[in-house]
């Protein structure tokens, strides 16, 4: 059993008495459960370890990524100095040191001359920039329990569009909002209607917070290699935005302002670099915690004090395999769009690791096949009216089996075991061999066959 943060708190939050609470108390318990599992994941150390890894990758990739991104802005008449407000906003908790770091980063970008790098240099520059987003995706996929990553083509297409078009859209949005707020119509209305003036002042104050929340929401919806709902991304974006502003204020007040002691006294001239790395670590940790929040909001079946790894027993995998084959058969005979792995998760309300493992076992046994979509959808690979349920069960039971190691001295059999396993196989064969996947999944009364076509009378999904 997985270790839990606090057994007493877990037993209270997941008590059977919760169902008898009032509606607002149940909502509060749901929030506390979400907070508990996020803190539990945080204390296990994997998120902090990955945040440290991202800090190292960021130090290597920051300047190349920005050089690639803002080279596009120069083509539209923008200059790197226009990057300064965005960098200052991010490094605001570092105070005067943030201004110094911003100037140095912009100086590095100005010194990068993409035109004189040559083909190999430009390719290396793009690879270094894309490697950062690729590492972020791998971390997000770990949080979202995903085994499949984007293909090489999709990585270059998706990440390249983010690096080339993203900055242009951001600065266009900033310029558009500034021109709207300073436009003649808005100024005229504010002079005649006092509340418009207060509204403009509020919008000006709230703009940085809204931009941070929007940026976090975009990350949570775009980076994972799965479909993330807007609700999950937005909730995580709000949580991350609040954490970013709160911890930024705390970092600036407690760490950076202690100029006479602490970090400055220990590291002296290296203090700026150390503080920058510390703030980068906090920022990455906030991003990963928010991604964890988005995952649990979208997959509440994982909100449990233990066993969030998605491991299933043999019996659970057998049941899941039968359910998956039944759904594949139903959608096949009803001429409906096949399911992806995420669709099976939403339909069956099970954890994604169990679904991917069962699909892998069925695919290895040749019972199902993937199409060419990304992410792939699953189709029957055998005639379902001739495939017995015993074959499906055997595919799961044999998953991950390896041949026995050959020894010079033959093994001495254990008395009675062979007879028991043979009896189990014979019982399964007798019970399931005559029942096919189609027999299990489709009722003849619900399916009307007209000529060569099959039409469903009832949507069983």
């Amino acid at each position: 059993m997985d270790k839990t943060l606090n057994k007493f708190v877990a037993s209270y939050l997941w008590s059977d008495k919760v169902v008898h609470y009032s509606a607002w108390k149940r909502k509060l318990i749901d929030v506390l459960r979400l907070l508990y599992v996020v803190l539990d994941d945080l204390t296990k150390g994997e998120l902090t370890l990955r945040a440290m890894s991202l800090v190292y990758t960021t130090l290597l990739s920051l300047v190349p990524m920005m050089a690639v991104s803002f080279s596009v802005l120069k083509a539209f008449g923008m200059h790197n100095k226009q990057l300064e407000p965005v960098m200052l906003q991010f490094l605001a908790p570092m105070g005067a040191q943030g201004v110094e770091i911003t100037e140095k980063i912009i100086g590095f970008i100005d010194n990068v001359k993409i035109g004189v790098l040559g083909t190999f240099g430009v390719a290396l520059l793009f690879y270094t920039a894309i490697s950062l987003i690729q590492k972020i995706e791998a971390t997000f996929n770990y949080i979202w329990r995903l085994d499949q990553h984007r293909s090489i083509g999709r990585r270059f297409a998706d990440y390249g569009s983010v690096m080339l078009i993203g900055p242009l859209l951001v600065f266009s949005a900033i310029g558009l909002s500034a021109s709207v707020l300073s436009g003649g119509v808005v100024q005229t209305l504010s002079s005649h209607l006092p509340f418009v003036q207060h509204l403009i002042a509020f919008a000006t104050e709230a703009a940085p917070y809204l931009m941070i929340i929007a940026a976090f929401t975009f990350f949570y919806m775009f980076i994972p290699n799965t479909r993330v709902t807007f609700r999950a991304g937005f909730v995580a974006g709000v949580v991350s935005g609040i954490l970013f502003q709160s911890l930024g204020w705390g970092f600036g007040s407690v760490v950076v302002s202690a100029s006479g002691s602490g970090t400055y006294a220990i590291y002296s001239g290296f203090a700026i670099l150390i503080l920058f790395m510390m703030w980068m670590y906090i920022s990455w940790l906030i991003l990963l915690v928010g991604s964890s929040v988005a995952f649990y909001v979208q997959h509440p079946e994982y909100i449990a004090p233990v066993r969030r790894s998605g491991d299933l027993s043999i019996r659970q995998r057998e049941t899941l395999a039968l359910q998956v084959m039944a759904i594949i058969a139903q959608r096949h005979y009803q001429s409906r769009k096949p399911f992806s792995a995420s669709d099976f998760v939403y339909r069956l309300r099970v954890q994604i690791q169990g679904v991917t493992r069962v699909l892998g076992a069925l695919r290895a046994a040749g019972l199902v096949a993937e199409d060419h979509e990304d992410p792939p959808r699953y189709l029957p690979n055998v005639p379902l009216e001739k495939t017995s349920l015993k074959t499906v069960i055997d595919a799961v039971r044999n998953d991950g089996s390896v041949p026995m190691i050959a020894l010079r001295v033959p093994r001495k059999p254990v008395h009675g075991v062979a007879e028991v396993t043979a009896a189990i196989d014979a019982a399964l064969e007798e019970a399931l061999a005559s029942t096919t996947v189609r027999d299990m999944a489709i009722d003849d009364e619900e399916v009307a066959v007209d000529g060569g076509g099959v039409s469903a009378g009832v949507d069983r999904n």
Side-chain angles (χ1 to χ4, degrees):
M1 180 179 292
D2 298 340
K3 291 183 179 180
T4 184
L5 184 63
N6 187 286
K7 292 183 178 180
F8 174 78
V9 175
S11 62
Y12 173 77
L13 292 178
W14 279 268
S15 172
D16 295 334
K17 299 178 181 179
V18 172
V19 295
H20 303 294
Y21 290 173
S22 59
W24 71 270
K25 283 187 176 181
R26 290 198 301 271
K27 286 291 184 183
L28 178 60
I29 291 296
D30 290 340
V31 173
L32 293 177
R33 285 175 175 176
L34 176 62
L35 178 62
Y36 180 93
V37 295
V38 171
L39 290 176
D40 193 19
D41 287 348
L42 195 60
T43 56
K44 289 177 179 178
E46 186 68 29
L47 292 183
T48 57
L49 184 64
R50 290 178 179 268
M52 295 176 189
S53 173
L54 285 171
V55 171
Y56 172 74
T57 308
T58 303
L59 293 176
L60 296 178
S61 308
L62 183 62
V63 172
M65 186 177 70
M66 288 189 173
V68 171
S69 299
F70 290 95
S71 62
V72 179
L73 296 179
K74 291 181 180 180
F76 289 88
M78 299 183 183
H79 303 283
N80 290 336
K81 278 294 181 181
Q82 294 175 281
L83 168 64
E84 190 170 355
V86 179
M87 290 293 299
L88 288 175
Q89 175 68 25
F90 172 71
L91 298 175
M94 299 189 62
Q97 287 73 28
V99 177
E100 184 177 349
I101 293 175
T102 300
E103 292 176 352
K104 290 183 177 180
I105 292 177
I106 293 177
F108 289 149
I109 297 174
D110 284 332
N111 291 330
V112 176
K113 307 298 182 183
I114 296 182
V116 300
L117 289 178
T119 304
F120 178 76
V122 172
L124 185 61
L125 195 68
F126 267 90
Y127 172 77
T128 307
I130 288 178
S131 65
L132 174 60
I133 309 181
Q134 182 178 344
K135 199 174 188 70
I136 298 172
E137 183 203 359
T139 303
F140 274 42
N141 287 347
Y142 163 79
I143 295 174
W144 283 80
R145 279 75 169 174
L146 299 173
D147 296 327
Q148 295 179 338
H149 300 275
R150 285 179 172 88
S151 61
I152 298 297
R154 275 198 64 197
R155 287 178 183 176
F156 277 91
D158 294 348
Y159 300 161
S161 63
V162 170
M163 290 189 298
L164 298 178
I165 302 176
L168 182 62
L169 295 178
V170 170
F171 282 96
S172 299
I174 294 174
L176 181 62
S177 61
S179 62
V180 169
L181 292 177
S182 61
V185 176
V186 175
Q187 294 299 324
T188 303
L189 289 176
S190 62
S191 61
H192 292 84
L193 299 174
F195 77 91
V196 175
Q197 187 174 0
H198 294 294
L199 187 62
I200 294 174
F202 174 77
T204 304
E205 293 290 334
Y209 301 93
L210 295 178
M211 288 186 60
I212 290 173
I213 292 175
F216 278 123
T217 303
F218 170 78
F219 263 94
Y220 297 140
M221 295 186 65
F222 175 80
I223 295 298
N225 190 27
T226 187
R227 178 167 54 89
V228 180
T229 62
F230 176 77
R231 174 176 174 269
F234 180 72
V235 170
V238 172
V239 172
S240 300
I242 295 174
L243 285 175
F244 186 84
Q245 293 296 330
S246 303
L247 294 180
W249 174 83
F251 184 81
S253 302
V254 177
V255 179
V256 178
S257 62
S259 57
S261 59
T263 307
Y264 291 92
I266 297 174
Y267 296 103
S268 184
F270 292 98
I272 296 179
L273 176 61
I274 299 301
L275 289 174
F276 178 66
M277 294 177 65
M278 291 171 62
W279 179 238
M280 288 294 299
Y281 169 73
I282 294 173
S283 301
W284 280 122
L285 194 59
I286 291 172
L287 186 71
L288 299 187
V289 168
S291 180
S292 184
V293 171
F295 171 76
Y296 287 120
V297 169
Q298 185 162 323
H299 294 285
E301 65 272 10
Y302 278 85
I303 300 181
V306 293
R307 296 189 68 83
R308 291 192 296 279
S309 59
D311 295 334
L312 299 178
S313 65
I314 294 295
R315 181 169 182 174
Q316 288 175 318
R317 290 204 297 270
E318 292 175 351
T319 302
L320 184 58
L322 294 174
Q323 292 173 331
V324 167
M325 288 301 298
I327 292 175
I328 290 176
Q330 291 166 6
R331 303 190 75 82
H332 171 70
Y333 285 112
Q334 296 169 2
S335 299
R336 302 178 65 189
K337 190 174 184 178
F339 268 3
S340 65
S342 298
D343 294 327
F344 285 111
V345 172
Y346 297 134
R347 171 65 177 81
L348 301 173
R349 307 307 298 174
V350 294
Q351 297 177 340
I352 185 66
Q353 295 101 315
V355 170
T356 53
R357 179 166 184 179
V358 165
L359 287 172
L362 296 175
R363 192 160 62 92
L367 300 181
V368 300
E370 296 179 344
D371 64 7
H372 298 291
E373 293 190 23
D374 192 6
R377 298 179 177 273
Y378 293 87
L379 304 164
N381 197 40
V382 291
L384 299 178
E385 61 275 4
K386 297 181 181 179
T387 304
S388 68
L389 299 184
K390 175 67 163 49
T391 306
V392 178
I393 296 296
D394 286 342
V396 178
R397 295 177 69 192
N398 296 330
D399 179 43
S401 60
V402 294
M404 302 295 287
I405 301 175
L407 301 176
R408 292 183 178 180
V409 179
R411 291 182 179 86
K412 183 178 181 180
V414 180
H415 177 71
V417 173
E419 290 78 5
V420 172
T421 55
I424 293 174
D425 291 336
L428 283 175
E429 184 74 26
E430 182 180 358
L432 301 178
S434 60
T435 305
T436 66
V437 174
R438 186 188 185 281
D439 297 334
M440 173 187 65
I442 301 296
D443 293 332
D444 291 332
E445 293 81 5
E446 297 181 357
V447 178
V449 181
D450 299 325
V454 179
S455 60
V458 177
D459 182 6
R460 301 179 62 182
N461 292 332

